[in-house]
Amino acid sequence: MAVGGSIGHLLALEYALKPVLAVLGATDIAHSVYIIDKQIIRLEDGSFAIEEDAIHRLEVELKKIQHIVAVN
């Protein structure tokens, strides 16, 4: 997961992070989830809220990771 300021950096995870993980020996690399900082809202009490679309994409990928861990 990564948070960025614009959609222009969407592929940074694919082209920068995944090759590094592969070189380090990662065998199961999950799909990345890129969230634009505008999808994270700072609330008045200092906490944060994440837009539903971003939460849904995170939950989908977390379920995949849970499945990989359970199988291994």
Side-chain angles (χ1 to χ4, degrees):
M1 181 187 87
V3 177
S6 75
I7 198 73
H9 296 101
L10 172 67
L11 295 177
L13 293 169
E14 297 294 322
Y15 291 107
L17 183 59
K18 283 188 178 182
V20 171
L21 295 174
V23 167
L24 292 174
T27 55
D28 294 311
I29 300 175
H31 289 260
S32 56
V33 177
Y34 183 79
I35 299 172
I36 298 172
D37 62 356
K38 293 177 185 174
Q39 292 179 293
I40 303 171
I41 301 128
R42 186 176 192 127
L43 303 175
E44 289 183 17
D45 66 358
S47 64
F48 295 90
I50 301 173
E51 288 184 1
E52 287 299 318
D53 173 62
I55 290 173
H56 175 71
R57 291 185 292 124
L58 287 166
E59 287 174 343
V60 167
E61 294 308 318
L62 285 172
K63 286 179 185 176
K64 290 178 185 178
I65 292 170
Q66 289 172 334
H67 175 72
I68 291 169
V69 170
V71 170
N72 290 328

